[in-house]
Amino acid sequence: MKTVKLLDREFRVSIPAEKLDQVIAQMAEKMNKDLEGKEPLFICILNGSFMFASDLMKQITVENAQITFMRLSSYDGMGTTGKVKKLMGFTEDLKDRTVVLLEDIVDTGITISNTLEQIQDYNAKEIMVATMLFKPKALIRDVKINYVGMEIPNDFIVGRGLDYDGVGRNLPDIYTVID
C-alpha cells in the first residue's frame, strides 16, 4: 500500500490516477454530447479544481468552449468552516450563457450551493455542476449535480488538487487519511 506523510498525518492511496483519468474521460465524453452547439463557459472553482479542470478541458471538444476561474475558500485544516469566502471572481459576462461549474469535490454542498446562489445573479441561460468526486453521505444542502465522476465515502482525502492545509495538491492519486 502506497502511503505519504503530509504535515502531521499519514495518507494511503484510495483512488489511483489511472482510475481518475478514466472517470474524467467519461465525463468529458458525456459533456461533449450534452453541450454540443451551446458554446459553454466553464468556471473552475479554485483552488482545488485546477487539476480536474485541466484534465477535463483537454478532452472537451465542444466548439467555442471557454474557461474562467473563481476562487473560494471554506476549509480550515481537515474540516469545513461552514462559511464560504469569495476571494477572486471572474469578469466574463454570463448573461444567456450555458455555464458549467467545475468542482473538485462536493461533500456538504455548502460551497457549491453558495456559488450557485452567486451565479444566479448573472442571468445565465443555464447552470450545470460537474464534480470529480462526490460524498453523498456528507451532503447537507440540496444541490443538483449534473456530472459526477465518482461517489466516494465520507473520508478526508488529498491529492489531484485537494489539499491538507495547503499541501498534497500535487499528488496525482487520491489519498485517504489513515486514522
Side-chain angles (χ1 to χ4, degrees), residues 72-85 103 105-114 135 138-141 154-157 163-165:
L72 305 172
S73 177
S74 66
Y75 268 78
D76 184 25
M78 288 178 44
T80 182
T81 62
K83 295 181 173 97
V84 179
K85 292 186 278 184
E103 185 65 285
I105 187 165
V106 173
D107 46 22
T108 63
I110 292 171
T111 300
I112 201 66
S113 175
N114 181 281
K135 293 182 181 180
L139 194 65
I140 59 174
R141 294 274 179 93
N154 192 19
D155 299 325
F156 185 79
I157 59 173
D163 74 304
Y164 171 45
D165 269 351

Side-chain angles (χ1 to χ4, degrees), residues 111-162:
T111 300
I112 201 66
S113 175
N114 181 281
T115 305
L116 285 165
E117 287 172 16
Q118 290 180 42
I119 299 290
Q120 298 292 341
D121 296 338
Y122 289 91
N123 300 313
K125 180 178 180 179
E126 62 182 327
I127 304 169
M128 299 177 196
V129 175
T131 185
M132 181 174 65
L133 303 169
F134 176 49
K135 293 182 181 180
K137 291 196 181 297
L139 194 65
I140 59 174
R141 294 274 179 93
D142 185 26
V143 292
K144 179 183 179 192
I145 305 170
N146 305 84
Y147 304 97
V148 174
M150 292 180 68
E151 288 189 9
I152 62 170
N154 192 19
D155 299 325
F156 185 79
I157 59 173
V158 298
R160 200 68 168 240
L162 295 134

